[in-house]
Amino acid sequence: MKSDAVKKGIQQAPHRSLFNALGFTEEEMERPLIGIVSSYNEIVPGHMNLDKIVEAVKEGVLLAGGVPRVFPAIAVCDGIAMGHEGMKYSLVTRDLIADSTECMAKAHQFDALVCVPNCDKNVPGLLMAAARINVPTIFVSGGPMMAGHVGGRKRSLSSMFEAVGEYTAGKITEEQLRQFERKVCPTCGSCSGMYTANSMNCLTEVIGMGLPGNGTIPAVYSDRLRLAKHAGMKVVELLRKNIRPRDIMTREAFMNALTVDMALGCSTNTMLHLPAIASEAGVKLDVDIANEVSEHTPNLCHLAPAGPTYMEDLNEAGGVMAVMKELTKRDLLNLDCLTCSGKKLGEILEKAENLDPEVIRPIDRPYSETGGLAVLKGNLAPNSGIVKRSAVVEEMMVHEGPARVFDCEEDAISAILGGKIREGDVVVIRYEGPKGGPGMREMLNPTSAIAGMGLGSTVALITDGRFSGASRGAAIGHVSPEAAVGGPIALVEEGDRILIDIPSHRLELLVGEEELAKRKAAWKPRKALITDGYLARYASQVSSADQGAMLRVPGEEK
């Protein structure tokens, strides 16, 4: 066992003395040492229940003959961090989580790991760590929040952000706004729509690193505790069979994840996280392949914010496995992929069943014949721009309008809420990319303000930042190269015409090449807003969004 390096032999006598200080018995010293990475904290609603999940995992490990020991991982609540400097610290935690988990796992020579994440950067950060460390590992998330109820309808956090725009536009009263405030987030758990956290927890299940139900069993269900116990037991089995993350996280598994991503209509942030996780597993995953996958993958689900159904509904309909079962009807998945259950994917799907064809559309009656995400390119986004196609209304699939240009999120929000954005406009928010932000902030506030003001079917938004999974509408993010490095988005001027053609995967600035060359020659880099601390180090090392916004290894080609 790997832990023998700190438990066996004369030279390890000092190490054993420290295990004695922990109260270890001789019997425990003979058993596998299982690290449980707990993302529990008291500030993130999606993590406030993880202490219960961790205790259930510990019980499972003990039942299977392992010795569980818990250590922490940080997590940021993107909702609380939204709309101020705190959002600069969201994406950047993904690498902190991966790095700190690597440090703890290798320093203490754990034989295996159980990762207990739930929210946006926590899940991909721990998946990156699992691939990097490559000891037997299993994931069990904290589970999604139940939907809230306002005015007799199910609601979620995206409804809350949009309600602010509705109030500003005079469409609802202050008391109605307070009703949303009190009721849209009724329980612990990751926010209840197909936002980034739930997208990544579902895709963890698809990749094979989480047991069936990992992505959809609500946080408040006792089934979640049973799942955690099974995960604790299963990791000891994985150790005995020597099944490691890189045995599971293969190119075929990531292609399955991209396919299910399209069928579910996941967050655009998956286009940042999947390439980063794959890279740690030694797999190159180019975002360009997303369009190819999308072209032959039907979109089967319209979960919030794209539609009126929620994670609890997906769970009752059969969960992620039921979605995958539909996809097998067109042979869209590789069924030979190994999973953390110890079984191949095809074996697991034999028992899967779609229990609600309105929540999970049958594959011969999809919402659309193409997938939920699209990669756009053109002279405004030479490398890429990402849009959640399934959350765009039909009349905005092709749109041309004048650019309304802002060099930060705050200025754009002021203009939107101040009534300065008109029907047909294309709002451009730049210098919010991985380097320019730094940190690539989410733009849920401006997209929600546009929707709340009643402009969702007439106004588009383009940014080198990114969007919350809760964003909807013609919101195109991850525009690369970003403004901070002189990408074409830095050259856009007020009133320029911009063409968005989602079906044709085009994003064009309708300005002549000669004029763009003049603007490029006159462009100068903007002075860095942050020059010290972690964000400054991050900005100096991070890759572009189309490369997963990953930190470069020193000496790596930029």
Side-chain angles (χ1 to χ4, degrees):
M1 290 189 293
K2 189 178 181 69
S3 62
D4 286 350
V6 293
K7 294 190 303 188
K8 301 288 186 181
I10 295 299
Q11 295 299 318
Q12 280 66 43
H15 305 71
R16 288 194 296 274
S17 71
L18 292 168
F19 280 105
N20 285 336
L22 290 169
F24 268 51
T25 65
E26 290 185 9
E27 291 82 1
E28 287 175 307
M29 294 293 285
E30 296 298 321
R31 295 178 181 180
L33 186 61
I34 312 298
I36 302 176
V37 192
S38 171
S39 305
Y40 169 76
N41 64 47
E42 295 181 336
I43 190 63
V44 181
H47 291 224
M48 62 186 283
N49 66 318
L50 295 191
D51 56 339
K52 306 296 189 299
I53 304 296
V54 167
E55 286 303 313
V57 170
K58 288 171 70 176
E59 289 180 32
V61 170
L62 288 167
L63 282 168
V67 179
R69 281 297 178 269
V70 180
F71 65 88
I74 64 170
V76 164
C77 176
D78 279 20
I80 294 174
M82 195 72 64
H84 55 88
E85 68 169 353
M87 183 45 70
K88 294 179 184 288
Y89 289 88
S90 172
L91 178 60
V92 304
T93 65
R94 188 185 70 182
D95 295 274
L96 283 175
I97 291 161
D99 292 349
S100 60
T101 302
E102 175 192 356
C103 291
M104 289 294 289
K106 293 199 171 185
H108 300 99
Q109 293 292 286
F110 286 105
D111 295 303
L113 298 172
V114 182
C115 294
V116 187
N118 211 26
C119 288
D120 295 29
K121 311 313 162 306
N122 200 243
V123 183
L126 288 178
L127 283 167
M128 289 166 68
R132 190 186 300 174
I133 299 161
N134 203 35
V135 298
T137 303
I138 194 168
F139 277 63
V140 56
S141 76
M145 183 184 292
M146 302 297 286
H149 291 81
V150 182
R153 291 175 54 195
K154 286 185 177 180
R155 303 282 191 168
S156 62
L157 184 65
S158 56
S159 309
M160 180 71 253
F161 276 90
E162 291 179 15
V164 174
E166 292 177 22
Y167 171 75
T168 303
K171 296 182 178 182
I172 61 173
T173 65
E174 184 173 353
E175 177 52 34
Q176 287 174 308
L177 182 66
R178 299 293 181 199
Q179 283 282 324
F180 277 89
E181 196 175 316
R182 288 190 290 266
K183 293 186 175 182
V184 295
C185 295
T187 72
C188 62
S190 47
C191 295
S192 56
M194 187 52 80
Y195 310 147
T196 305
N198 292 325
S199 295
M200 289 309 305
N201 282 323
C202 287
L203 296 185
T204 297
E205 197 174 323
V206 178
I207 292 169
M209 291 297 291
L211 294 171
N214 178 73
T216 60
I217 297 172
V220 295
Y221 282 16
S222 296
D223 274 350
R224 178 63 57 178
L225 298 178
R226 282 186 280 274
L227 184 73
K229 290 176 184 178
H230 283 298
M233 290 185 275
K234 187 61 68 173
V235 78
V236 179
E237 179 184 321
L238 293 176
L239 176 60
R240 289 175 180 145
K241 293 180 177 179
N242 195 29
I243 297 175
R244 300 169 181 253
R246 292 194 182 194
D247 299 323
I248 296 170
M249 299 166 76
T250 62
R251 178 168 183 79
E252 292 75 19
F254 284 107
M255 292 304 295
N256 281 348
L258 271 177
T259 301
V260 178
D261 191 338
M262 297 301 169
L264 282 172
C266 290
S267 164
T268 53
N269 283 315
T270 61
M271 293 295 101
L272 284 176
H273 300 321
L274 286 177
I277 298 161
S279 178
E280 294 288 358
V283 175
K284 180 172 174 53
L285 195 67
D286 194 319
V287 295
D288 286 351
I289 203 169
N291 284 341
E292 180 183 331
V293 174
S294 180
E295 286 306 307
H296 61 252
T297 305
N299 177 227
L300 305 181
C301 299
H302 264 192
L303 294 133
T309 52
Y310 294 80
M311 295 305 296
E312 62 204 61
D313 302 312
L314 179 59
N315 186 64
E316 295 304 317
V320 174
M321 293 296 138
V323 176
M324 297 176 81
K325 187 64 171 282
E326 289 291 342
L327 295 173
T328 64
K329 296 174 183 178
R330 289 191 190 173
D331 297 322
L332 294 176
L333 299 175
N334 188 313
L335 302 181
D336 288 329
C337 290
L338 185 63
T339 72
C340 65
S341 69
K343 299 177 181 178
K344 291 186 177 181
L345 180 60
E347 296 177 72
I348 298 173
L349 292 182
E350 287 177 4
K351 296 181 179 179
E353 183 182 357
N354 183 356
L355 302 174
D356 190 335
E358 294 308 311
V359 175
I360 303 171
R361 288 280 184 91
I363 201 159
D364 58 359
R365 189 171 60 86
Y367 282 101
S368 67
E369 286 293 342
T370 53
L373 298 180
V375 179
L376 310 185
K377 287 191 174 186
N379 68 346
L380 186 52
N383 293 354
S384 70
I386 308 292
V387 63
K388 187 169 182 174
R389 173 162 49 185
S390 60
V392 180
V393 294
E394 184 61 34
E395 53 266 41
M396 290 297 289
M397 295 297 281
V398 178
H399 178 77
E400 181 184 324
R404 304 298 309 280
V405 184
F406 305 93
D407 285 350
C408 68
E409 176 190 8
E410 288 83 355
D411 290 350
I413 293 170
S414 294
I416 296 165
L417 295 180
K420 297 179 181 178
I421 302 301
R422 307 292 185 218
E423 291 186 3
D425 285 348
V426 179
V427 176
V428 176
I429 305 177
R430 61 192 179 190
Y431 292 101
E432 291 284 7
K435 285 183 174 294
M440 203 179 183
R441 290 195 288 180
E442 288 185 345
M443 302 290 154
L444 179 56
N445 275 355
T447 57
S448 297
I450 287 169
M453 297 283 284
L455 299 171
S457 60
T458 58
V459 170
L461 194 155
I462 298 171
T463 181
D464 54 6
R466 59 196 179 92
F467 294 110
S468 163
S471 294
R472 63 186 176 99
I476 300 159
H478 306 198
V479 169
S480 303
E482 62 177 289
V485 298
I489 192 171
L491 310 180
V492 182
E493 294 183 359
E494 188 79 9
D496 285 348
R497 304 291 293 184
I498 291 176
L499 171 66
I500 300 164
D501 187 340
I502 295 172
S504 298
H505 306 135
R506 291 176 60 206
L507 184 60
E508 302 284 348
L509 177 60
L510 302 180
V511 174
E513 290 184 13
E514 185 176 340
E515 172 62 20
L516 286 178
K518 287 181 183 178
R519 294 182 190 180
K520 179 67 174 177
W523 179 82
K524 294 181 180 179
R526 192 172 70 159
K527 184 178 178 181
L529 299 178
I530 296 174
T531 57
D532 57 8
Y534 180 58
L535 288 180
R537 295 198 300 276
Y538 181 88
S540 70
Q541 297 175 15
V542 71
S543 72
S544 64
D546 63 294
Q547 296 173 359
M550 293 179 283
L551 295 187
R552 300 186 187 91
V553 176
E556 187 178 7
E557 185 177 333
K558 295 185 179 181

